[in-house]
């Protein structure tokens, strides 16, 4: 009997220095990679002598051994992503910049750097030429740099200017994106991290944890972001996962010696209270109260005409979404008015996609909005009219935006490849669906995208409350029969799961 094939893990490198105390550096990076389902490789730049209270000293490896580590790994175990940590020798830093410039494009790996310029105990690693190498040679090779506030001021040289101006200077020198860690701010009970990307940005807010077990926070955050990038999450999502992982690890930290304790590495973050509050440049109004779904969502067809609605109504529909993309304004209004009347006759929970003004006018059960429609829709008017709100999401970033609105339900997609419409994101898959659903234990969720009868059980096992289908009904030669079979599969597996 053959053992099942082991799941392949993304390869992630850390290029940094060893921490003999085990709380930061290479050791913290490898713990983080393992906890987040990656295989970690290490290129050691220096060996430090340190404990929980101080760095006593360090020695760097030879340039020959440093470059041999890089080339040896690249021949056999090339990375999906690389994290750069403490490299105290300017000669090694310059060697790394040249190596990255030679290989980054060909191998396509992401590079995330945590510019460790001093230790948390006050040991200074800066040499005369360190800053110029960072500015002139390394920054143009970075997908993300994660300085804390003192490091940002030092790297930018703009000590008296705003964080935004300092980050913009790093981007002007070539960094693709900057995540400014706010933990060194001495004011307030909230830690604010600021992300500056290309034509985009947001801030992340989390409660400041009162703990002395915080050795290696910068290393852990940047290595967690790197691990998420290796799992092919977009950068904004990777930052959110990394920040949640850090909050989880900090909250479970433990004492090791007489000084700052270490972080506890506990796996992929799945509890919502570890995740940050996300504030975009154009923030949506929160503190709204949308009506609840009442009964469980169940099987949720999405149709593009009132004719489809009429065909499916006799089959025992409970929830449906009317998605009208074609036709004149008068035709769309007529169809919505007719659909609402039919829904009342059949006691159907009818959601209108996008056309929230008409949904309010004709008193539909609810409105379903995509992320691009949230900023333009009058959310207080929808809530005030007593309509339910469903919101589409395709990522951690969009999920946090939706959750903060406290909608009636959240759609998670697209799970499998779908031909229904052009999607800007990749299929999420079951593992991501499981992660997303775990963050929504108090908000009903609907999985959507490429779901058919054979996939119902697998999707339900991820913890969602409903499944939305389009072509699995409307694309079939016998749509009524397809609906009944899907409904039967849903009821069978839902009863089994619960």
């Amino acid at each position: 009997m053959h053992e099942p094939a082991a799941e392949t893990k993304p390869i992630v490198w850390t290029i940094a220095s060893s921490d003999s105390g085990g709380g930061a550096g290479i050791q913290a990076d490898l713990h983080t990679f393992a906890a987040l389902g990656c295989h970690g490789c290490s290129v050691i730049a220096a060996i430090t002598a340190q404990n929980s209270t101080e760095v006593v000293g360090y020695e760097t490896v030879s340039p020959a051994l440093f470059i041999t580590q890089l080339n040896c790994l690249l021949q056999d175990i090339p990375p999906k992503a690389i994290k750069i940590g403490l490299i105290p020798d300017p000669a090694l830093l310059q060697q790394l910049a040249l190596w990255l410039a030679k290989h980054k494009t060909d191998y396509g790996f992401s590079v995330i750097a945590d510019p460790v310029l001093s230790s948390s105990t006050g040991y200074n690693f800066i040499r005369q030429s360190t800053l110029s190498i960072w500015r002139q040679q390394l920054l143009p090779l970075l997908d993300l740099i994660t300085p804390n506030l003192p490091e940002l001021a030092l790297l930018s040289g703009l000590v008296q200017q705003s964080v935004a101006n300092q980050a913009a200077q790093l981007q002007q020198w070539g960094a693709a994106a900057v995540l400014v860690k706010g933990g060194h701010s001495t004011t307030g009970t909230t830690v604010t991290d600021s992300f500056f990307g290309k034509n985009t940005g947001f801030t992340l807010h989390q409660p400041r944890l009162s703990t002395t077990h915080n050795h290696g926070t910068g290393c852990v955050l940047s290595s967690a972001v790197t691990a998420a990038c290796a799992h092919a999450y977009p950068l904004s999502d990777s930052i959110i996962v990394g920040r949640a992982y850090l909050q989880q690890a900090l909250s479970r930290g433990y004492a090791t010696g007489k000084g700052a304790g270490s972080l506890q590495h506990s796996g992929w973050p799945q509890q919502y209270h570890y995740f940050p509050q996300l504030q975009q440049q154009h923030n949506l109004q929160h503190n709204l109260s949308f009506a609840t779904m009442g009964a469980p969502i169940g099987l949720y067809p999405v149709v593009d005409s009132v004719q489809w609605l009429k065909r499916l109504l006799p089959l025992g529909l409970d929830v449906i979404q009317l998605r009208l993309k074609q036709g004149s304004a008068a035709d769309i209004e007529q169809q919505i008015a007719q659909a609402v009347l039919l829904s009342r006759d059949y006691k159907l929970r009818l959601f209108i996609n996008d056309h929230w003004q008409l949904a309010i006018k004709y008193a539909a059960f609810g409105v379903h909005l995509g992320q691009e429609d949230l900023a333009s829709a009058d959310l207080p008017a929808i809530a005030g009219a007593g309509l339910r709100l469903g919101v589409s999401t395709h990522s951690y970033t969009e999920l946090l935006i939706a959750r903060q609105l406290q909608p009636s339900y959240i759609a998670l997609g697209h799970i499998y490849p779908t031909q229904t419409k052009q999607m800007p994101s990749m299929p999420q898959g079951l593992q991501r669906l499981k992660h997303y659903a775990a963050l929504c234990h108090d908000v009903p969720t609907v999985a959507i995208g490429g779901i058919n009868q054979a996939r119902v059980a697998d999707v339900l096992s991820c913890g969602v409350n409903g499944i939305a289908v389009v072509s699995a009904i409307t694309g079939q030669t016998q749509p009524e029969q397809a609906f009944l079979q899907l409904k039967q599969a849903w009821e069978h597996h839902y009863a089994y799961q619960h």
Side-chain angles (χ1 to χ4, degrees):
M1 186 173 178
H2 295 291
E3 290 288 328
E7 184 180 350
T8 301
K9 294 185 177 184
I11 304 297
V12 188
W13 294 5
T14 169
I15 305 173
S17 298
S18 169
D19 172 9
S20 54
I26 291 279
Q27 287 81 353
D29 295 341
L30 293 177
H31 281 309
T32 303
F33 296 159
L36 291 174
C38 295
H39 176 80
C41 300
S42 58
V43 174
I44 297 178
I47 300 170
T48 68
Q50 63 177 294
N51 53 34
S52 66
T53 63
E54 62 179 333
V55 177
V56 177
Y58 70 90
E59 284 189 11
T60 58
V61 303
S62 69
L65 182 56
F66 183 69
I67 202 73
T68 299
Q69 291 179 82
L70 291 166
N71 291 334
C72 172
L73 282 176
L74 190 66
Q75 289 174 7
D76 185 45
I77 317 175
K80 292 281 188 185
I82 292 176
K83 177 263 171 90
I84 300 172
L86 170 62
I87 302 177
D89 184 350
L92 297 186
L93 200 61
Q94 187 166 40
Q95 197 172 38
L96 175 58
L98 294 171
W99 187 90
L100 289 173
K102 182 178 179 181
H103 296 293
K104 185 175 189 286
T105 301
D106 289 344
Y107 284 85
F109 46 72
S110 302
V111 182
I112 288 89
D114 180 28
V116 183
L117 304 178
S118 63
S119 73
S120 57
T121 56
Y123 195 99
N124 186 2
F125 293 108
I126 297 180
R127 298 296 176 265
Q128 188 172 2
S129 57
T130 301
L131 290 177
S132 63
I133 296 171
W134 273 103
R135 292 168 179 168
Q136 296 170 23
Q137 295 178 260
L138 266 175
L139 284 176
L141 298 166
L142 302 183
D143 296 284
L144 177 70
I145 186 168
T146 63
N148 58 34
L149 292 168
E151 290 163 347
L152 177 67
L154 199 58
L155 278 172
S156 68
L158 306 176
V159 178
Q160 301 299 321
Q161 296 199 27
S162 68
V163 166
N165 286 347
Q166 292 171 349
Q169 180 63 73
L170 299 193
Q171 289 181 291
Q172 193 173 333
W173 283 331
V178 182
L179 175 65
V180 182
K181 299 174 293 191
H184 279 70
S185 173
T186 56
T187 59
T189 58
T190 299
V191 175
T192 298
D193 302 317
S194 302
F195 172 64
F196 302 89
K198 185 178 181 181
N199 303 319
T200 185
F202 54 74
T203 54
L204 301 175
H205 308 279
Q206 280 182 305
R208 186 183 297 274
L209 298 177
S210 179
T211 176
T212 57
H213 308 319
N214 56 10
H215 183 50
T217 53
C219 300
V220 169
L221 175 60
S222 58
S223 54
V225 173
T226 308
C229 283
H231 281 290
Y233 283 94
L235 184 58
S236 58
D237 275 21
S238 297
I239 288 167
I240 287 166
V241 170
R243 195 57 186 83
Y245 181 88
L246 175 60
Q247 194 79 349
Q248 173 181 271
L250 270 170
S251 70
R252 301 174 182 180
Y254 58 94
T256 50
K258 298 173 185 175
S262 297
L263 309 187
Q264 178 64 55
H265 300 273
S266 309
W268 200 276
Q270 298 197 63
Q271 296 181 45
Y272 181 58
H273 66 270
Y274 292 131
F275 281 75
Q277 288 291 304
L278 186 150
Q279 183 175 344
Q280 295 179 298
Q281 292 165 336
H282 303 289
N283 208 30
L284 298 170
Q285 181 175 345
H286 297 153
N287 303 317
L288 300 173
S289 180
F290 293 98
T292 63
M293 289 296 296
I297 299 172
L299 180 62
Y300 181 168
V302 180
V303 297
D304 62 2
S305 70
V306 76
Q307 285 73 26
W308 272 114
L309 180 61
K310 290 177 180 178
R311 285 185 69 170
L312 297 177
L313 276 173
L315 305 178
L317 278 177
D318 183 27
V319 181
I320 198 166
Q321 181 189 142
L322 183 60
R323 181 193 285 167
L324 300 174
K325 300 293 186 183
Q326 307 278 329
S328 65
D331 176 58
I332 288 172
E333 180 165 358
Q334 184 182 15
Q335 288 201 61
I336 288 174
Q338 189 177 4
V340 171
L341 287 175
L342 287 167
S343 71
R344 290 175 186 159
D345 291 341
Y346 284 85
K347 294 182 171 55
L348 170 69
R349 292 180 286 177
L350 171 70
F351 281 84
I352 304 299
N353 183 281
D354 289 352
H355 302 287
W356 57 270
Q357 298 99 326
L358 295 175
I360 292 174
K361 179 177 180 179
Y362 293 101
F365 185 82
V367 175
H368 184 96
L369 297 176
Q371 291 280 322
E372 65 281 1
D373 302 308
L374 289 175
S376 58
D378 189 340
L379 299 179
I382 295 170
L387 271 64
R388 286 81 184 163
L389 176 67
V391 180
S392 292
T393 65
H394 310 86
S395 64
Y396 272 111
T397 306
E398 293 184 354
L399 180 56
L400 288 191
I401 292 168
R403 275 226 46 156
Q404 289 164 199
L405 293 173
Q406 298 179 309
S408 310
Y409 75 87
I410 295 175
L412 307 170
H414 60 297
I415 309 308
Y416 299 98
T418 174
Q419 303 300 318
T420 304
K421 63 176 182 176
Q422 191 68 33
M423 301 300 294
S425 57
M426 61 181 281
Q428 300 298 303
L430 295 175
Q431 186 59 60
R432 293 192 187 192
L433 177 61
K434 195 174 295 184
H435 290 326
Y436 298 153
L439 297 186
C440 300
H441 62 90
D442 55 342
V443 181
T445 51
V446 177
I448 186 170
I451 302 170
N452 56 30
Q453 185 181 344
R455 292 167 169 169
V456 169
D458 288 340
V459 170
L460 258 177
S461 70
C462 295
V464 296
N465 308 105
I467 57 170
V469 292
V470 187
S471 59
I473 294 174
T474 59
Q476 306 306 305
T477 53
Q478 295 179 299
E480 288 85 357
Q481 183 179 349
F483 171 80
L484 292 172
Q485 289 172 342
L486 273 165
K487 186 180 178 185
Q488 184 180 17
W490 164 267
E491 291 170 350
H492 170 75
H493 293 296
Y494 186 81
Y496 178 78
Q497 296 284 347
H498 293 77

